[in-house]
């Protein structure tokens, strides 16, 4: 009977650790209701400030690019505009992600961490539009113009802002020099609806119509 009692006592009181074995620290006791009043972690505050910092740097690089363009330092300007776009990369969700977010929207009033505010989203898009438009303008100043790249940048602008006059006009110019006269005429006429008296637009429309007329004449002769 005594043996059973001593065994029970041993079972209820575990032996202390052997010599040389470190005593494990006990986890802190949880105080009910004490988790809500703590100070937010530094990482959370930093994450909230991150988008604003990226936008600030992008705006700074864009301004530097504009100054380089004014100084006719077009290669340097291109580098600055690319740096600005790099700062913004990943801030705006892709179209598929936006669609998922809209379908799985948070309840009204619930916080949506890691997302830009409406004002920040508009600022990011405005900077992107300015940068792509300016990149196209820089490329058009080169001795050997990469019209394929000009077209690419202008179409990026039009995807975000379909009535942008500069992008419409430069798209028309790019398609003209790439030999796609039908598309060139389309974009140039769209540009003319925005600024009917612009002499450059009118000139390129005339040039494009002449090219189309010649192509049509050749087709008739070939038949």
């Amino acid at each position: 009977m005594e043996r059973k009692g001593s065994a029970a006592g041993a079972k209820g009181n575990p032996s202390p650790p052997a010599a040389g074995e470190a005593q494990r620290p006990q986890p802190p006791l949880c105080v009910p209701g004490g988790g809500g009043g703590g100070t937010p972690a530094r990482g959370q505050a930093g994450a909230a400030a991150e988008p604003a910092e990226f936008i600030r740097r992008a705006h700074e690089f864009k301004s530097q690019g504009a100054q380089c363009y004014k100084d006719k330092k077009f290669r340097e300007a291109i580098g600055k505009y690319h740096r600005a776009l790099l700062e913004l990369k990943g801030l705006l969700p892709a179209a598929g992600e936006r669609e998922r977010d809209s379908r799985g929207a948070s309840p009204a009033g619930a916080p949506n961490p890691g997302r830009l505010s409406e004002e920040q989203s508009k600022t990011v898009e405005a900077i992107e539009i300015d940068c792509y438009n300016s990149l196209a303008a820089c490329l058009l100043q080169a001795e050997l113009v990469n019209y394929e790249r000009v077209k690419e940048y202008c179409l990026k602008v039009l995807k975000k802002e379909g009535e942008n006059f500069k992008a419409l006009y430069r798209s028309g110019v790019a398609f003209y020099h790439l030999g796609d006269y039908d598309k060139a005429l389309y974009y140039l006429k769209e540009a003319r609806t925005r600024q009917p008296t612009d002499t450059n637009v009118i000139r390129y429309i005339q040039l494009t119509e002449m090219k189309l007329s010649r192509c049509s004449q050749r087709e008739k002769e070939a038949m």
Side-chain angles (χ1 to χ4, degrees):
M1 295 295 291
E2 288 179 6
R3 191 178 300 169
K4 284 183 181 178
S6 61
K11 191 173 182 181
N13 298 291
S15 303
E21 183 180 342
Q23 178 78 36
R24 292 182 184 176
Q26 295 297 318
L29 294 175
C30 296
V31 181
T39 305
R42 186 181 299 177
Q44 292 173 345
E50 255 185 12
E53 178 61 19
F54 284 132
I55 292 169
R56 185 195 67 77
R57 289 202 299 261
H59 192 276
E60 190 175 319
F61 280 123
K62 181 177 79 78
S63 298
Q64 291 172 8
Q67 186 58 52
C68 289
Y69 185 87
K70 287 179 183 177
D71 296 339
K72 300 188 183 301
K73 298 176 181 177
F74 302 118
R75 186 171 293 183
E76 290 181 31
I78 287 171
K80 296 295 184 183
Y81 291 128
H82 277 303
R83 286 292 301 275
L85 290 168
L86 195 61
E87 292 291 337
L88 300 179
K89 190 176 181 182
L91 279 184
L92 284 178
E97 190 177 336
R98 282 198 297 267
E99 190 177 339
R100 285 198 303 273
D101 289 345
S102 62
R103 281 186 298 204
S106 303
N112 198 5
R115 294 285 181 264
L116 297 179
S117 68
E118 186 177 349
E119 184 180 352
Q120 285 176 325
S121 296
K122 287 179 180 178
T123 302
V124 168
E125 287 207 352
I127 293 173
E128 285 184 327
I129 287 169
D130 285 347
C131 285
Y132 284 125
N133 255 336
S134 299
L135 282 168
C138 288
L139 290 174
L140 287 169
Q141 300 297 324
E143 289 184 20
L144 293 173
V145 179
N146 186 339
Y147 286 106
E148 190 66 41
R149 188 59 61 85
V150 172
K151 178 192 78 173
E152 177 189 332
Y153 290 146
C154 291
L155 293 181
K156 282 179 182 289
V157 173
L158 294 174
K159 198 171 182 179
K160 295 176 180 293
E161 193 177 276
E163 297 187 356
N164 188 285
F165 169 75
K166 290 179 180 179
L168 287 168
Y169 165 64
R170 290 170 184 152
S171 292
V173 171
F175 277 113
Y176 172 85
H177 287 282
L178 291 169
D180 193 336
Y181 303 119
D182 288 319
K183 283 188 178 178
L185 191 60
Y186 167 78
Y187 284 108
L188 290 166
K189 284 185 174 181
E190 286 292 309
R192 187 175 61 181
T193 62
R194 274 73 183 173
Q195 294 194 24
T197 59
D198 188 280
T199 55
N200 289 320
V201 174
I202 294 169
R203 173 172 159 267
Y204 261 100
I205 286 176
Q206 291 171 345
L207 289 171
T208 306
E209 287 176 339
M210 286 172 60
K211 289 284 187 181
L212 284 169
S213 178
R214 287 175 188 171
C215 290
S216 178
Q217 187 64 33
R218 286 173 191 165
E219 287 176 4
K220 287 179 182 178
E221 290 173 359
M223 291 174 67

